[in-house]
Amino acid sequence: MLSKNKKLVIFGSGQIAEVAHYFFSSDSEYEVVAFCVDAQFKTQDTLQGLPIVTFEDIQKNYPQDEFFIFIAMSYNKVNVLRKERYQTFKEMGYKFASYISTNAICSTEDIGEHCFILEQNNIQPYAKIGKNVVLWSGNHIGHHSIVEDHCFISSHNVISGGVLIGERTFIGVNSTLRDNITVGKGAVIGAGALVLEDLPDLAVTFSEGSTLSRVPSNRLRSI
């Protein structure tokens, strides 16, 4: 068990905030002491047995010289909201917490602040991870690849060597990016995509979904 010598407030009260609470509590040096939300979104007083404070009161209750912040937000509006909230807390003088799972393989130290790197990620040598980046479970980040700031990469993606991923990009589950390509800023790569060439800023790419059979499962003869 790691020593809990840093106190942490998690911004957010949804599912990602609960996941963050679990991992920070079970596998980090941080002690989660509270959650924080904007006053207009506060619908309860506690979460996971901890108080929920409003953003408007956070400096009074949890001042920046004593507490760390982690922003548990999703990729809504192609990560614009996560970026804006990160910048707001930065301007307020808060220090950021990062979580890197002890069950991840990180062969690089070039990782920015306020990252959330879950289990079974494999980050190869000479890769660079920017600030405010989420790597959900089970990704491969190839050697010499760069993931710029504010990206959200969901689970089980293969990013080959020498790839540049522009800031705020979102990558859906089970996607593959070939080596030495560039993905522009604010791109959205849908689940199961195969990316073989450069993508411009704000690009959207996706694979075709599975076709729904007209035959119901109880009429299939081979199963």
Short mmCIF file of all heavy atoms in Angstrom, two decimals, residues 134 171 180 213:
data_model
loop_
_atom_site.label_atom_id
_atom_site.label_comp_id
_atom_site.label_asym_id
_atom_site.label_seq_id
_atom_site.Cartn_x
_atom_site.Cartn_y
_atom_site.Cartn_z
N VAL A 134 -5.83 11.50 -21.22
CA VAL A 134 -6.43 10.28 -20.67
C VAL A 134 -6.07 9.12 -21.59
O VAL A 134 -6.32 9.17 -22.80
CB VAL A 134 -7.96 10.41 -20.55
CG1 VAL A 134 -8.57 9.07 -20.13
CG2 VAL A 134 -8.34 11.51 -19.57
N ILE A 171 -9.89 9.20 -29.60
CA ILE A 171 -9.76 7.94 -30.32
C ILE A 171 -10.66 6.91 -29.65
O ILE A 171 -10.50 6.61 -28.46
CB ILE A 171 -8.31 7.46 -30.36
CG1 ILE A 171 -7.41 8.52 -31.04
CG2 ILE A 171 -8.21 6.13 -31.12
CD1 ILE A 171 -5.94 8.12 -31.10
N ASN A 180 4.17 6.46 -38.41
CA ASN A 180 4.67 7.68 -39.06
C ASN A 180 3.59 8.50 -39.76
O ASN A 180 3.84 9.10 -40.81
CB ASN A 180 5.79 7.32 -40.05
CG ASN A 180 6.98 6.70 -39.36
OD1 ASN A 180 7.46 7.21 -38.35
ND2 ASN A 180 7.44 5.56 -39.87
N SER A 213 -28.75 -8.54 -38.88
CA SER A 213 -29.39 -9.58 -39.69
C SER A 213 -30.91 -9.48 -39.59
O SER A 213 -31.47 -9.11 -38.55
CB SER A 213 -28.94 -10.97 -39.21
OG SER A 213 -29.67 -11.98 -39.86
#
